[in-house]
Amino acid sequence: MKKTGQRNCSRYFTIFFMNCADFRRTGSAALDLCYVACGRQHAYLEQNLKPWDYSGATVILREAGGTITDWENKEPPYLENSDILACVPQFREILRRLI
């Protein structure tokens, strides 16, 4: 298994792109996670995020009923970089299978 940040991210994004309607990126992980929380986006996927980019928005997302894990379906490590998968519950298993 490769460490965070060493995967070929373009392969994953191609798979997701072929299985979804659209991609949107604001340039802010925290804002994108909040968009998942409020229903503007169904999922957020990113590689090698710093903890300060996702930690605060994790609370907002979970309070709204969303889920967030690393790409191995584990709790994100809040003291080191992580690959992040955040989504609404109904897409969780579909996205996990694509990764």
Side-chain angles (χ1 to χ4, degrees):
M1 172 92 128
K2 295 181 180 180
K3 292 182 181 180
T4 298
Q6 293 180 337
R7 298 177 192 210
N8 182 354
C9 202
S10 62
R11 181 180 133 219
Y12 292 102
F13 285 111
T14 300
I15 292 168
F16 280 101
F17 183 74
M18 299 307 290
N19 288 283
C20 73
D22 195 8
F23 268 87
R24 299 201 178 186
R25 299 190 46 102
T26 65
S28 166
L31 182 58
D32 285 331
L33 290 169
C34 289
Y35 278 0
V36 174
C38 75
R40 288 185 183 174
Q41 294 176 187
H42 293 115
Y44 176 72
L45 172 78
E46 186 59 82
Q47 202 175 26
N48 200 30
L49 276 179
K50 305 264 189 255
W52 50 82
D53 290 327
Y54 62 85
S55 296
T58 295
V59 175
I60 295 168
L61 176 66
R62 288 186 172 156
E63 287 294 316
T67 64
I68 184 168
T69 61
D70 68 10
W71 286 15
E72 275 87 42
N73 204 31
K74 298 177 189 164
E75 182 72 16
Y78 295 102
L79 297 175
E80 59 188 52
N81 294 8
S82 181
D83 300 335
I84 294 295
L85 172 61
C87 61
V88 295
Q90 55 267 42
F91 289 123
R92 182 105 201 118
E93 288 309 310
I94 295 167
L95 296 173
R96 285 283 312 134
R97 281 192 299 257
L98 291 174
I99 293 178

